[in-house]
């Protein structure tokens, strides 16, 4: 664990080995919950871009890639299905 004080002594920052991995995993889990809830609430097939737009998420390649990975994993687990047109739709919990 590391502690770093600024020049005025008013701000302390800390970190530990693996902190970025924990933050990244938490962010992906949050994205997963949001995306699956959106698909379930809408009730109709949605493309990755539609989900990004509806959730007001950043339109970056990284966010799109993460969302595609989440949806593919959800497809493998039976929560969602993918159409040939690149749309995903909610099936429910397996």
């Amino acid at each position: 664990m590391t502690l770093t004080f600024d020049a005025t002594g008013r701000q302390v920052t800390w970190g530990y080995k693996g902190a970025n991995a924990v933050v990244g995993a938490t962010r992906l889990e949050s994205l997963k919950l949001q995306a699956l809830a959106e698909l379930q609430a809408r009730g109709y097939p949605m493309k990755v871009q539609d989900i990004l737009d509806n959730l007001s998420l950043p339109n970056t390649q990284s966010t799109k890639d993460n969302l595609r990975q989440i949806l593919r994993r959800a497809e493998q687990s039976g929560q969602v299905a993918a159409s040939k047109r690149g749309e995903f739709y909610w099936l429910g919990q397996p």
Side-chain angles (χ1 to χ4, degrees):
M1 184 166 146
T2 60
L3 291 174
T4 307
F5 296 88
D6 69 357
T8 63
R10 294 184 184 155
Q11 182 179 5
V12 178
T13 57
W14 64 276
Y16 62 94
K17 187 175 181 178
N20 291 337
V22 172
V23 170
T26 302
R27 187 181 63 80
L28 285 176
E29 184 63 24
S30 174
L31 179 60
K32 174 185 172 184
L33 293 174
Q34 291 177 43
L36 294 180
E38 183 67 17
L39 276 176
Q40 184 179 17
R42 296 294 174 178
Y44 55 82
M46 298 177 73
K47 293 187 176 204
V48 169
Q49 188 62 52
D50 298 333
I51 296 171
L52 289 175
D53 293 342
N54 288 350
L55 295 176
S56 300
L57 295 170
N59 190 11
T60 64
Q61 192 60 45
S62 176
T63 305
K64 289 178 188 178
D65 291 343
N66 287 333
L67 187 53
R68 282 187 193 101
Q69 181 183 31
I70 288 167
L71 292 171
R72 291 291 177 206
R73 287 182 180 167
E75 181 183 13
Q76 291 171 349
S77 73
Q79 290 178 297
V80 302
S83 72
K84 291 183 180 183
R85 293 183 290 178
E87 298 172 323
F88 294 88
Y89 54 96
W90 179 254
L91 293 177
Q93 296 294 334

